[in-house]
Amino acid sequence: MLFELIDASKALLTPLIALIALFIAYQQFKMNKLKVKIDVFARRLELYEATRSLLAQIVREGKIDFENALQYARDTSGARFLVGKDVTEYLKEIHSRCIDLASAQDQLYGIDSASTSDRPALIQQKTDALKWLVEQFEPLAKHFEPYISISKLK
């Protein structure tokens, strides 16, 4: 009787170990899947923060230089792999407006300042670009909301 019990427990031990290993593998799979979501979330948040930081700098200083616009383009260059086409196009629009603003500033205040007849058009270009950029905080949040919502991590 004792030997039969020992033999039965040996026979049940192998499937039990297999079930435990299967459970552990499944838990690791779920954890890895969550880690990928968290990593993508973090990268998307970096895009959002880079854009928000750029807009805050423009609001604070009322200007932007080409170097900062170029740095922004580098910071957001991977956007197409992380967010949809709508956000990618929106980020390109922000970059384009930054270039417009920097260009108008350079032409207005640079070494080769614009002639008197060009100044009103350049001032208008600078004003339009600056106004558009200053108004982008709320649209930025709306564009990114589907991609950086914590509820999506579940």
Side-chain angles (χ1 to χ4, degrees):
M1 169 100 171
L2 180 63
F3 290 119
E4 291 172 1
L5 187 60
I6 290 173
D7 286 342
S9 65
K10 284 182 185 177
L12 291 175
L13 191 58
T14 302
L16 179 63
I17 290 172
L19 283 174
I20 291 171
L22 184 62
F23 176 76
I24 291 170
Y26 178 70
Q27 292 301 318
Q28 286 178 335
F29 168 75
K30 283 179 31 179
M31 290 298 292
N32 287 338
K33 193 174 175 181
L34 182 60
K35 183 178 180 339
V36 168
K37 284 183 177 182
I38 290 170
D39 289 346
V40 170
F41 174 85
R43 296 284 309 277
R44 288 172 173 168
L45 190 59
E46 287 174 9
L47 283 174
Y48 173 78
E49 287 298 324
T51 305
R52 194 186 60 70
S53 177
L54 176 81
L55 294 173
Q57 175 190 356
I58 292 169
V59 167
R60 187 175 53 252
E61 298 175 9
K63 63 181 181 173
I64 187 171
D65 57 30
F66 284 109
E67 182 57 39
N68 287 341
L70 182 60
Q71 181 61 48
Y72 174 71
R74 283 190 295 263
D75 290 346
T76 59
S77 63
R80 66 184 172 160
F81 304 112
L82 298 168
V83 293
K85 189 172 182 158
D86 60 327
V87 176
T88 303
E89 292 301 318
Y90 178 66
L91 296 177
K92 286 179 184 177
E93 177 69 16
I94 289 174
H95 181 255
S96 175
R97 299 287 182 126
C98 288
I99 295 296
D100 290 347
L101 179 59
S103 176
Q105 288 168 185
D106 272 8
Q107 291 178 47
L108 280 169
Y109 309 119
I111 295 172
D112 299 326
S113 295
S115 67
T116 309
S117 62
D118 294 338
R119 288 185 71 75
L122 289 170
I123 290 170
Q124 188 62 48
Q125 177 184 345
K126 179 184 177 196
T127 302
D128 292 345
L130 187 57
K131 183 176 187 255
W132 189 88
L133 288 163
V134 166
E135 295 171 344
Q136 294 311 300
F137 284 100
E138 186 61 30
L140 175 67
K142 287 193 184 309
H143 275 87
F144 270 90
E145 191 172 7
Y147 299 99
I148 58 175
S149 175
I150 293 290
S151 64
K152 303 266 184 180
L153 286 178
K154 296 177 183 176

